[in-house]
Amino acid sequence: MDSVDLAVLHAAREWHAAGRGVTLVTVVQTWGSAPRPPGALLAIRDDGVVAGSVSGGCVEDDLIARVRDGESAAAPRVVSYGVTRDEAARFGLPCGGTLRLVQEPVREVGWIDELLARCARHELVARTLELATGRITLASARRGDALVFNEQSLTTIHGPRWRLLIIGAGQLARYVANFAHALDFEVLICDPRTEYREGFDIASARFIDGMPDDAVLAIEPDAHTAIVALTHDPKLDDMALLEALKSPAFYVGALGSRANTAKRRERLAQFDLSQAEIERLHGPIGLHIGSRTPAEIAVSVLAEIVAVRVGVQVAQKKSASACVDER
């Protein structure tokens, strides 16, 4: 669950607590080049103030106008846009795109409080809305579960934000932290070296105390967590990797050339790691884009992390015949 959808739910809760009427809109089906995916959220206050989006254009304007005109739904209902080519053009839906939305009044916010609390604990949650009654139930979900809409009920999957734990607070880590934050990762930093930590002034990153292996254990990595070691110091990087490679983290990588990565794999094999766990290590990290500066290297690293996160085969790694990557 990204910060945009979290912000939508926070806004809906705050508006309801202030005594305002709130309508929640969820994208449930799309055809063609729809601007927002199924599950995207929009909250509309009774005066037309909005949080989130379902199209990024005229669909929101029409929904706001309906709410201002007193047409907000008394019960959940399905709304469609872009059924005809003319309507698609009118609402700014490209290539004949079509949206189906579920519009529902927010009558109470207990379920929002519980959902946000469970997401904060890094749980995956399935929210089911019964359209006939407006009844909402929450249940545990599993990775891979998807939105389900069958005209009678809508089940959406809500989960924690993606996290990135960076080992090391050097110059490269500054760029990685800033770019990761822009990509909507929750950014965590661990560096026991005082001289690096005290000069690290990235407000969007949160420090985890302790040694790197302790930090990995402390955050309890899950399938929404990436861990990247950037100190270039085996005494620190390897400590983190020993725990990270045994965790469910979807990405574990370490800075270093091909030669250094080979030596690191040999060191890791001396500990209680299986060969399969060692093979999970990404190194040298990053896609091959000819990067040289810290900012360029950070772009290549995050490009690889995003590719792994979305399940895209990484096809731009430097080939064995190319020159050695000295990162």
Side-chain angles (χ1 to χ4, degrees), residues 1-2 5 14 29 34 39 45 54 61 65 80 125 128 132 138 143 150 164-165 177 183 223-224 235 274 290 298:
M1 189 175 191
D2 61 30
D5 290 335
E14 292 172 3
Q29 289 177 325
R45 201 169 66 185
V54 291
D61 292 342
S80 297
V125 183
T128 298
L138 301 179
R143 186 169 173 81
N150 61 11
L164 174 62
L165 172 61
L183 291 168
H224 282 74
K235 297 188 298 295
S274 68

Side-chain angles (χ1 to χ4, degrees), residues 108-170:
E108 57 90 22
V109 294
W111 67 267
I112 298 181
D113 292 332
E114 181 182 350
L115 190 153
L116 292 175
R118 293 174 68 168
C119 287
R121 295 195 296 268
H122 266 255
E123 297 180 25
L124 276 173
V125 183
R127 171 188 182 262
T128 298
L129 168 69
E130 295 180 3
L131 269 66
T133 64
R135 181 172 177 264
I136 295 171
T137 57
L138 301 179
S140 296
R142 295 176 297 181
R143 186 169 173 81
D145 288 348
L147 180 148
V148 176
F149 177 61
N150 61 11
E151 306 294 340
Q152 285 78 46
S153 66
L154 167 65
T155 298
T156 50
I157 307 301
H158 305 265
R161 288 181 65 188
W162 297 94
R163 296 185 295 180
L164 174 62
L165 172 61
I166 302 171
I167 306 300

Side-chain angles (χ1 to χ4, degrees), residues 3-263:
S3 60
V4 173
D5 290 335
L6 286 173
V8 170
L9 294 178
H10 278 290
R13 181 178 62 181
E14 292 172 3
W15 294 342
H16 184 275
R20 306 302 297 263
V22 182
T23 299
L24 189 66
V25 183
T26 306
V27 177
V28 296
Q29 289 177 325
T30 66
W31 293 269
S33 300
R36 294 281 283 146
L41 294 174
L42 168 72
I44 309 174
R45 201 169 66 185
D46 52 17
D47 60 353
V49 174
V50 299
S53 68
V54 291
S55 77
C58 297
V59 168
E60 281 83 355
D61 292 342
D62 186 69
L63 290 167
I64 291 169
R66 293 187 184 200
V67 169
R68 284 176 169 169
D69 291 342
E71 295 182 21
S72 55
R77 67 181 181 184
V78 179
V79 182
S80 297
Y81 288 91
V83 176
T84 66
R85 184 176 298 275
D86 288 345
E87 191 173 83
R90 173 190 170 197
F91 292 112
L93 301 173
C95 302
T98 300
L99 290 176
R100 291 190 81 198
L101 314 171
V102 165
Q103 184 179 353
E104 60 179 292
V106 177
R107 300 192 181 284
E108 57 90 22
V109 294
W111 67 267
I112 298 181
D113 292 332
E114 181 182 350
L115 190 153
L116 292 175
R118 293 174 68 168
C119 287
R121 295 195 296 268
H122 266 255
E123 297 180 25
L124 276 173
V125 183
R127 171 188 182 262
T128 298
L129 168 69
E130 295 180 3
L131 269 66
T133 64
R135 181 172 177 264
I136 295 171
T137 57
L138 301 179
S140 296
R142 295 176 297 181
R143 186 169 173 81
D145 288 348
L147 180 148
V148 176
F149 177 61
N150 61 11
E151 306 294 340
Q152 285 78 46
S153 66
L154 167 65
T155 298
T156 50
I157 307 301
H158 305 265
R161 288 181 65 188
W162 297 94
R163 296 185 295 180
L164 174 62
L165 172 61
I166 302 171
I167 306 300
Q171 185 183 39
L172 175 57
R174 291 173 176 270
Y175 288 98
V176 172
N178 272 326
F179 295 167
H181 177 69
L183 291 168
D184 208 36
F185 282 88
E186 177 187 2
V187 181
L188 310 172
I189 305 281
C190 175
D191 196 327
R193 302 170 298 181
T194 304
E195 62 273 21
Y196 284 89
R197 176 166 177 161
E198 289 186 353
F200 198 90
D201 56 357
I202 306 300
S204 58
R206 176 167 63 89
F207 268 92
I208 305 297
D209 293 327
M211 297 299 288
D213 53 338
D214 295 327
V216 173
L217 293 173
I219 69 169
E220 299 181 352
D222 57 15
H224 282 74
T225 305
I227 300 170
V228 60
L230 302 179
T231 73
H232 237 317
D233 183 346
K235 297 188 298 295
L236 298 176
D237 287 348
D238 289 4
M239 292 175 66
L241 298 175
L242 285 170
E243 299 299 337
L245 290 169
K246 293 184 287 187
S247 78
F250 76 88
Y251 179 97
V252 179
L255 187 70
S257 67
R258 290 185 181 277
N260 286 337
T261 298
K263 293 176 182 178

